[in-house]
Amino acid sequence: MDHQCPDPDRLRLRQPRFQGLTSGHRACAGCGAAITARLVLEATGPDVLVANATGCLEVFSTPWPESAWRVPWIHSLFENAGSVAAGMEAALKAQGRDTKVIAFGGDGGTFDIGFRALSGMLERYHNVLYVCYDNEAYMNTGVQRSSSTPHAARTTTSPPGKARMGKRHLKKDILSIVAAHHIPYAATASVAYPPDLRKKVRRALAIEGPTFLHVHSPCPLGWGHDGALSIEIARLAVETGMFPLIELERGGVTGVMPIRNPRPVAEYLRRQARFRHLFQDDAKAREELEHLQAIADHNIEFYGLTGHGPDALDTEGADTAHRGGMRWA
Amino acid sequence: MPAALEGSQAIARAVALCRPQVVAAYPITPQTHIVENISKLVADGRFDCELVSVESEFSAASVVLGAAAAGARAYTASSSQGILLMTEVLYDISGMRIPLVLTCANRAVSAPLNIWNDQQDAMAVRDSGWIMLFCADNQEAVDTTVQAFRIAERTELPVMVCVDGFTLTHTLEPIDLPSQEDVDAFLPPFEFERRLDPARPISQGTLVSPEWFPEVRHANYQALLAAEAEIEAAARDWAGLVGRETGALVEADGPGEARTGVLCMGSIHGTLEAARAAAPDLEPVRLIRLRCFRPLPLAAIEAACAGLDRLIVLERAIAPGLGGVLTTELRAFFADRADAPRIYGFAVGLGGRDVPLETLGRALASSAADNPRHFAVLDLEPEKLPEEDR
Ligand SMILES: Cc1ncc(C[n+]2csc(CCOP(=O)(O)OP(=O)(O)O)c2C)c(N)n1
Ligand code: SF4
């Protein structure tokens, strides 16, 4: 008799996850934004309202008269997902409905043009989970730089050439800026770690107030890699320290996903055409490679990513983060 | 029982009577008193709503968009730079057929910076797909506010209620506020068919390709034209309920023998009426007030202008490189009418310049010449300008 300990795989088959974003949409194969939206909604279930900023996710999911969304969904503009979500939340509150509002924005719609709306929503303490799917450029308009584009990456508006090595500026630290609003919960996540991502969504949903999830979401088209490698590349971003997986509560770091043996940043960069110019035999290229390695090293040191504590167990329900020695589910 | 109320205070009280569930706004002169009064009503527990004090007008419009999409009755107010900052959202609201109400306290648009009244802000968003109503006085502003919610909710179109900044918003007048019972009887609770609801998930604001886009635009265009009937019905039913007339589409009055009409929007109508009454030896004049600017009620305008030889349009805005918005629209409309009046257009009272009683006489005198294509700033003082700018 195994009724006390059902096989989780069989249980899962019998109870498939909620598919808030179904198949049939027009995303490129291996699109991280699509994976992010799907994973987030797997964790939220159907009782949500979604506000979506203009960008790839919105465009590929709703070519009228089709829609891949199985939850109530609205797209207004590029720069107002935070405010539209705030209005939806205010309406729900006024009506006494306790449905949760989720906003989705790309890095452009979040870090740049939609930043004012996001900041206002956080400051006014709306009960909204804002999810930024970060593919590190304006993909929908053909891969232009954003303030989230990593240093030295190639985009169509930060092309490398004789006088330039790709983007000249640093990737904006949006999580710290968001955390500076003293919101109860802000975290990074990656499509390469679905259980961790879903767990963070559940955590955010349990909180009454503004929460923020920053999800690293590879874009095969913009980053220049095979769609089949999206997860591998996203995982390398975490394992090299380029995209640390962390959690903050009221601005303080309360959880990090440890990396036992950090991999060299070059392993992550080499797989993507947007960093190809860094691998030519050239002093400036070597300098930029070192610069990027230094950024990863800094992340590892700053967040104590190699620190003590249990390794990440990338399985549903297991601890994927540790916070001051305390385990939480 | 009329009470002496400042225009903004009266509008705020009227808004509260309509029981919007979500109000979002950002302060700008001369709209500020409306928001402040609403905030005070909420703080005093006299108005139960989610008041969202946003970080910009862009967000004010976006918040009410989201709120109404989620099924709440929603309200916002702005002016001038705020209206222009909202522009992108205004188009989005009407394009998605989201019903809500906005008060525009009309003000000039920078540069140069000027906080005083004209109607340049409303003219700048004339093609945003909103119903646009212009109020003659504060009583009409109160009554129009209540009507606006019904019009919006029945047509599924947003309504902009325009009131002249300062002239109306900051003026104390005796106002008859309607009773809560009357407003409730007139305005049933908002039931939005397409509200965002997990029980019936729908997608709104999707990507629409060339295959569908013209049909969507056509449907919006038709809906705005068809709104005329609801605007008239709201005015009629409101008058039936409270016994007080407001304008509907167009108002015209004057002696039957008048061959000259003077057309305007907003509060200068009162000035023109007073001017006409004060100068009995002026030639007979029919005063025509456009209360409804969008949809442009062409049939009603034609009826109001019947028998006129001359139509003088007084505008509170200017369209650089063109002249006057309304003047041009009316000339275009009358262009193929055999019995069309000659149309003269003037900008008057730009940036809050006082519009005195003499305006009427000056407009009549300035349109005696035989050049109907004329457009000019009526109250210009050319001696203030260098020779080359006159
Ligand atoms: C006000 C405004 N400016 C520019 C655009 C054009 N535009 C649409 S989507 C987009 C980029 C979106 O980038 P991001 O938010 O990173 O999302 P992604 O496309 O990468 O998913 C741009 C520039 C717009 N729609 N609105
Ligand atoms: S361009 Fe990038 S973000 Fe857009 S659909 Fe393709 S993979 Fe996804």
Side-chain angles (χ1 to χ4, degrees), chain B residues 80-109:
Chain B
S80 181
Q81 313 306 127
I83 295 290
L84 267 67
L85 185 57
M86 286 181 177
T87 306
E88 195 190 0
V89 194
L90 298 182
Y91 275 74
D92 207 50
I93 290 169
S94 67
M96 282 201 262
R97 300 285 305 273
I98 292 182
L100 54 89
V101 173
L102 177 155
T103 302
C104 176
N106 296 110
R107 162 181 152 179
V109 174

Side-chain angles (χ1 to χ4, degrees), chain B residues 68 72-73 97-101 131 145-159 182-194 219 222-238 241:
Chain B
R73 179 172 292 160
R97 300 285 305 273
I98 292 182
L100 54 89
V101 173
I131 292 170
T145 300
V146 183
Q147 293 175 24
F149 280 102
R150 193 179 94 160
I151 296 164
E153 289 164 16
R154 287 198 179 181
T155 59
E156 296 196 348
L157 284 168
V159 179
D182 281 348
V183 176
D184 287 346
F186 187 75
L187 203 57
F190 179 39
E191 298 287 347
F192 191 31
E193 203 29 57
R194 288 179 285 122
Q222 289 298 329
L224 202 55
L225 290 182
E228 266 191 24
E230 283 298 343
I231 297 165
E232 288 187 290
R236 195 171 50 238
D237 294 350
W238 183 247
L241 185 70

Side-chain angles (χ1 to χ4, degrees), chain B residues 300-344:
Chain B
I301 291 171
E302 189 171 27
C305 294
L308 294 182
D309 297 332
R310 181 167 70 146
L311 178 65
I312 300 171
V313 183
L314 295 186
E315 307 208 35
R316 308 293 313 282
I318 192 161
L322 176 68
V325 171
L326 204 44
T327 309
T328 307
E329 290 181 350
L330 294 178
R331 279 184 185 145
F333 170 66
F334 280 112
D336 58 355
R337 298 288 192 283
D339 52 350
R342 289 192 319 280
I343 299 178
Y344 298 82

Side-chain angles (χ1 to χ4, degrees), chain A residues 46-50 58-59 62-80 83-88 90-95 97 99 116-117 120-121 123-124 126, chain B residues 21-22 49-50 52-56 58-60 62-73 85 88-89 92 96 98 195-209 212 216:
Chain A
D47 191 21
V48 291
L49 307 187
V50 171
E58 165 261 332
V59 168
T62 63
W64 172 266
E66 293 163 21
S67 171
W69 299 89
R70 296 175 63 220
V71 289
W73 177 95
I74 188 167
H75 158 254
S76 168
L77 297 165
F78 187 16
E79 65 275 46
N80 67 355
S83 325
V84 172
M88 288 154 63
L92 293 176
K93 215 188 236 173
Q95 296 163 353
R97 297 201 265 161
T99 297
R116 171 172 70 199
M121 184 276 284
E123 183 267 334
R124 293 188 306 270
H126 291 278
Chain B
Q21 292 156 299
V22 177
C49 78
E50 285 297 321
V52 188
S53 299
V54 284
E55 79 297 335
S56 69
F58 201 95
S59 284
S62 303
V63 162
V64 289
L65 181 159
R73 179 172 292 160
L85 185 57
E88 195 190 0
V89 194
D92 207 50
M96 282 201 262
I98 292 182
R195 82 167 185 176
L196 297 166
D197 184 356
R200 279 188 322 153
I202 55 163
S203 298
Q204 294 222 44
T206 64
L207 176 74
V208 174
S209 69
W212 290 97
V216 176

